[in-house]
Structure formats: structure tokens, C-alpha cells
Amino acid sequence: MTIWNLVRVEIYKMYKSKMTIQLIIISPLAAAVIAFQGSDKELIPNHQWLTPLILMCFMHSLFLLPLLTGVLASLSCKHEHDHGGWRRFLTLPVKRSQVYLSKFITIILCTACIQLLFFIGWVLVGKVAGYTNPMPLLKMTGIVVSDWIATWPIAAFMLFVATKFTSFGAVLVISVICTVPNLMVVNSERFNPWYPWVQPFLGMMPQDAGIFQFLFFTPGTLLITVLGSFAFFFVSGLTYFKHKAI
């Protein structure tokens, strides 16, 4: 069984859960409603398209997206925990590393769907508001993709936690505990470059330039905080899962 076959199985299980669709649409929908209410304002002169972003990103990327990433990670393991699925799953001719990787890919595909809906909501707000400035499509895409990449270390850590704890509630509590400090860390120039849970918000902040004119992180933040912590959390979780007693 190939890794993509496993991913299809994981996507099917997530799709069968009534919570998944709700989790994917809730944050983009809430963010779009907030942006519609303030779309008549111009918070940054001569940059109409950044006004919805500023209104949307506080709830979406500072709080809901990191929290939902953790919930999706927990949901990806819920079936195996509830129905003894780990033992049956691992009797198939698959490696544990393939199972773990397929779950991670499924989680970040879900967050990609969230970001796609966020992007659509952003465009709809601007169109309905009748913005006359040209839509900065490349910059808007880069901001949304930066936000998505910033969820990778969160997904890796929360998948590690979700495979360790059988309780859905326990994983949710840990996700909340990790997300709530964003409200304080985001205002700290000393700590916010190094805290993974606040990176989705920082990655969406409008900047004049980005890495390759596309990704809106500083090189140090991208390499150390985002990709570095992602690699650390993923390898730690994979190592634990490979030796986990089932």
C-alpha cells in the first residue's frame, strides 16, 4: 500500500466525521463576516485589499487556525483510539512511518483547505466592497501560503500529542494551552519570532517584501522557528510512534 493510498484512507475517515467540514469552514467564515462589517474602511492608505486581511487575520491566524490545527490532529487519530484501530491498521502491510506521514499530510491538506476558503473569502469581501485598486494576487497568495506553512510545526507537534494521548479532550486542552499565549507573545518583539504558535499570524502581516518576494517571514524565522521546529516535532513524533506499544 502506497503512502497516497493511505492518505486517501485518512481523507475518507476525516470526511466521514461530521466535525471535519465544520472545522474547515468555521474560521474562514467567521473571518469573512468580520471583514464584511469593516470593509468600508481603509486602514492602510492606498492599500484597499489589505484592509480585509487586517480585520480577518486577528481571529483567524492568531487564535482559530492554530487551535483548529490541533483539533484536526486529534480528530485524525480519534478513530484508532476509539475503536482499537491502531492494532488493525498496523496489521496491514504498511510501515508505521507511512501511517504517521499519511496522517500528517492529511492534516496539512485540511489546513490548506482552510486557507483556500480564507483566500476566497478575502477576494469576495473586496469584490462586494467594490475595491477599485488592482488586486495584488501574488502578494495575497504569498500571505496565505505563508500562513499555511506556519501551521506545519503546529500540526507536527499536535500529531505527536494526538498519538500519545487517547483522550480527545486532553489533546484539545493542550492545543488551547499552546494557543492562548499568542495573545501575549504577539506583542513581544523578543519572543514572537521564536514561538511557533504565533507564526501563522506573523506570516500574514503585510510587508513590502518577502523571501523570494513571496513568503512573508524573515529568513531566520522561516529556517529556525517554522522549518526547524517542524523538523524537530515531526522527527520526535515519528520516533515515538515507531516505538509505541500498540
Side-chain angles (χ1 to χ4, degrees):
M1 185 177 290
T2 67
I3 185 67
W4 298 114
N5 287 333
L6 288 173
V7 170
R8 284 196 289 270
V9 170
E10 291 296 327
I11 291 174
Y12 177 75
K13 288 192 296 186
M14 294 286 277
Y15 175 75
K16 291 293 287 183
S17 171
K18 297 179 181 180
M19 291 180 60
T20 304
I21 301 300
Q22 298 172 12
L23 293 173
I24 288 175
I25 67 175
I26 185 172
S27 185
L29 181 61
V33 170
I34 292 172
F36 271 121
Q37 294 175 346
S39 59
D40 56 332
K41 304 173 184 176
E42 190 170 341
L43 301 180
I44 302 178
N46 303 318
H47 290 82
Q48 289 178 316
W49 286 96
L50 294 183
T51 294
L53 174 66
I54 293 173
L55 295 171
M56 296 168 79
C57 71
F58 281 96
M59 173 176 286
H60 174 71
S61 57
L62 189 62
F63 186 69
L64 284 180
L65 182 60
L67 183 63
L68 291 174
T69 303
V71 176
L72 288 166
S74 181
L75 194 61
S76 72
C77 299
K78 189 175 187 299
H79 176 81
E80 284 77 10
H81 286 318
D82 288 350
H83 305 288
W86 288 122
R87 192 179 301 276
R88 292 196 300 271
F89 206 166
L90 296 175
T91 58
L92 299 173
V94 295
K95 298 178 180 178
R96 290 194 180 197
S97 58
Q98 291 179 308
V99 173
Y100 194 84
L101 180 59
S102 68
K103 288 187 175 294
F104 176 78
I105 291 173
T106 303
I107 296 165
I108 63 172
L109 286 176
C110 288
T111 59
C113 291
I114 292 174
Q115 289 303 100
L116 177 61
L117 292 177
F118 179 92
F119 182 84
I120 293 171
W122 186 0
V123 172
L124 287 176
V125 169
K127 292 297 185 181
V128 172
Y131 290 162
T132 55
N133 288 357
M135 185 169 61
L137 186 60
L138 180 62
K139 188 169 188 176
M140 291 170 66
T141 303
I143 288 171
V144 171
V145 171
S146 296
D147 197 27
W148 176 58
I149 292 174
T151 66
W152 294 4
I154 301 172
F157 176 81
M158 293 310 304
L159 179 58
F160 181 6
V161 172
T163 56
K164 185 175 180 62
F165 294 99
T166 60
S167 170
F168 182 87
V171 180
L172 179 59
V173 168
I174 293 173
S175 183
V176 171
I177 289 172
C178 292
T179 302
V180 168
N182 283 357
L183 301 174
M184 297 173 288
V185 174
V186 70
N187 294 314
S188 171
E189 294 183 0
R190 181 179 178 183
F191 294 108
N192 66 30
W194 313 112
Y195 190 60
W197 271 257
V198 83
Q199 298 313 310
F201 177 78
L202 299 180
M204 295 193 83
M205 285 293 93
Q207 301 180 38
D208 294 329
I211 300 172
F212 309 119
Q213 302 295 313
F214 189 70
L215 298 179
F216 294 96
F217 301 104
T218 64
T221 297
L222 178 63
L223 292 174
I224 298 173
T225 309
V226 179
L227 298 182
S229 63
F230 158 64
F232 176 75
F233 292 146
F234 184 83
V235 171
S236 299
L238 177 60
T239 303
Y240 167 78
F241 185 71
K242 289 173 71 173
H243 295 90
K244 175 182 172 70
I246 302 297

